[in-house]
Amino acid sequence: MVTYETVAEVREASRLARRAGKRVGVVPTMGFLHEGHLALVRRARELADWVVVTVFINPTQFGPTEDLARYPRDLPRDLELCREAGADAVFAPGVEELYPPGCQTAVEVGALAEPLCGARRPGHFRGVATVVAKLFAIVEPDVAVFGEKDYQQLQVVRRMAEDLCFGVAVVGYPTVRDADGLALSSRNAYLAPADRDQALSLSRALAEAEALVARGEDRPGAIEGLARERLTRAGVRVDYAEVRHPETLERVERIRPRVVLALAGFVGATRLIDNRVLTAPAA
Ligand code: AMP
């Protein structure tokens, strides 16, 4: 496995792979890798012949009061995990390599980027769409794998790739969880052992919501109310608990046939998100 730090080097490596007839896959990450990230790398391995993992804590997707400075990092460990997961290359550029002085272009996705995390983290998806567009322009991948854990991000990236004609297949991968249900996240490193029960209220609320829908509940408000109540009761400060259309992310009148329940909440100072697609029982 080779590590690249410059745009020129990784672009050349990707071109060489493509010229050799290989399908190129990319897995963008912010590092501090866990099993969720590694599952994406293994999926990319199945879908492509040459896989590059990008490790870059993208400053433009963090708000001024967010955790950019203290975001966890451990590049040597990430490199070892990528090698074990079968990556061919890691692209780990410095900030100035992707945002050199004078750069002034950004990518803005429309309505999909407005609700949920878009509303709570102004500019977040502009930063995400911009950095992912840059990575796609550099690597020119055939396939890119993203986690469903960041459900809205996956929809935003899909839209962006389609609208800007990147010709890349954006593939989603189901959320990888700990045995107790907690969605794996680099930010779980912030949680003290005592915070874990609070953190677990997100996945538990999603499971309860699913059971309620299975019993015939068809009102989004009832589902949202249940989720809010469970999070609040556990001591989590709710950022949002919303039922949305699974593709457009618009509000819906009914659960039937399918919705996404998206949750975000603060466990102490740590903001966690989770989601689940809920399918109404057959009529
Ligand atoms: P991040 O490093 O948090 O920016 O995440 C990089 C990629 O890994 C994104 O596509 C995330 O959706 C994905 N990811 C993060 N956590 C998980 C998880 N628990 N299961 C599956 N994918 C994940």
Side-chain angles (χ1 to χ4, degrees), residues 35-79:
E35 251 323 295
H37 296 113
L38 300 178
L40 307 190
V41 178
R42 289 187 209 104
R43 183 74 187 121
R45 258 267 62 98
E46 292 169 359
L47 299 170
D49 310 299
W50 188 82
V51 172
V52 56
V53 179
T54 70
V55 174
F56 180 66
I57 301 176
N58 175 36
T60 66
Q61 71 187 69
F62 287 78
T65 63
E66 294 182 355
D67 57 344
L68 173 62
R70 66 177 192 126
Y71 195 85
R73 51 197 92 199
D74 188 347
L75 186 59
R77 180 171 165 276
D78 290 345
L79 296 178

Side-chain angles (χ1 to χ4, degrees), residues 27-40 54 56 61 71 145-151 153-154 173-177 182-187:
V27 180
T29 81
M30 297 205 298
F32 209 69
L33 303 181
H34 52 64
E35 251 323 295
H37 296 113
L38 300 178
L40 307 190
T54 70
F56 180 66
Q61 71 187 69
Y71 195 85
V145 186
F146 287 81
E148 291 170 3
K149 155 88 177 3
D150 299 275
Y151 190 92
Q153 169 174 281
L154 173 60
Y173 190 89
T175 302
V176 178
R177 299 174 181 281
L182 184 65
L184 297 187
S185 164
S186 305
R187 289 190 169 96

